Amino acid sequence: MMLELGEAVANSKSSPFIIVTGIPTAFCSGANITLAAAQLMSTEGGVAMNKLMTEVTNDLKYLEGISFSAIDGAAAFGGGAELATSTDFRVLGNEAGVRSRMKFVQATMGVTTGWGGGTRLVELVGKEEALKILLTSEEISTTTPPNGLINFIAPEGMSALTHTESLIENIQATVDPNVVTAMKRMTRGKGKE
């Protein structure tokens, strides 16, 4: 999955809008520790996995287009939460029977964030709030007011993907594409130029 994500990000370099999403009931749960155990048991394997995902999340953050994480379901945990911090906007779905949420669970696993998500979290919400979220593994859900981490919550009964598509349609209908590109460049900050 990590390699496929890297390829998808690389193929999105010229796209004006990018949506990162999962299946209707799960965004991304991060690394499957059972499947990744062989890689994680060796220093070289762990470093290689960490390097790959750090590169992928940084590439996603610095894409030219506007990027969205459309989070439906419960699995924006750990690495999934880190992945979500790589996009410009995070949108939580609000469908009946699907509890959309994010959670940085790394501290409860005895590890720190590994793909740059902790640093991006500080950029998004400030150091005190980031430290609180990281240390307490606080769950962020549709009942959490939108903040720097969650930018949009879909209207009741709507998936994050549908709401994200609606947001993009609205931007396309009201903002000149050159202005969208200029705004992204202006707000992107330093990094991959």
Side-chain angles (χ1 to χ4, degrees):
M1 293 294 276
M2 294 177 187
L3 293 174
E4 289 91 349
L5 176 62
E7 289 174 16
V9 170
N11 292 332
S12 298
K13 290 190 187 229
S14 62
S15 300
F17 296 95
I18 301 95
I19 301 173
V20 178
T21 193
I23 61 174
T25 57
F27 175 71
C28 172
S29 60
N32 181 324
I33 302 302
T34 304
L35 293 176
Q39 282 288 99
L40 296 173
M41 294 309 268
S42 74
T43 301
E44 298 81 21
V47 168
M49 183 186 300
N50 186 57
K51 183 175 186 242
L52 170 67
M53 285 309 295
T54 299
E55 288 175 5
V56 169
T57 55
N58 281 335
D59 287 349
L60 180 58
K61 178 179 179 178
Y62 293 108
L63 284 174
E64 288 286 321
I66 307 299
S67 58
F68 295 81
S69 287
I71 303 167
D72 284 310
F77 289 177
E82 290 196 63
L83 174 61
T85 65
S86 299
T87 58
D88 297 309
F89 298 107
R90 284 142 306 281
V91 182
L92 279 182
N94 202 3
E95 289 185 284
V98 179
R99 192 160 165 242
S100 299
R101 52 202 168 114
M102 280 180 78
K103 193 173 186 179
F104 284 83
V105 296
Q106 290 86 339
T108 63
M109 298 171 66
V111 298
T112 64
T113 57
W115 305 340
T119 302
R120 288 188 298 273
L121 185 61
V122 170
E123 292 171 0
L124 294 169
V125 300
K127 70 177 186 175
E128 291 85 5
E129 186 67 13
L131 188 60
K132 180 185 90 168
I133 290 169
L134 292 168
L135 289 176
T136 64
S137 296
E138 177 183 351
E139 184 175 286
I140 311 298
S141 71
T142 55
T143 60
T144 306
N147 55 31
L149 183 55
I150 300 301
N151 307 101
F152 302 98
I153 296 174
E156 192 168 329
M158 186 180 287
S159 72
L161 181 57
T162 301
H163 189 53
T164 300
E165 290 168 340
S166 174
L167 292 166
I168 291 171
E169 287 173 12
N170 185 53
I171 293 168
Q172 289 175 318
T174 59
V175 183
D176 181 279
N178 294 319
V179 174
V180 171
T181 302
M183 291 293 193
K184 173 66 185 252
R185 285 184 183 150
M186 180 185 72
T187 59
R188 180 173 53 198
K190 296 188 182 198
K192 296 190 173 202
E193 300 293 329

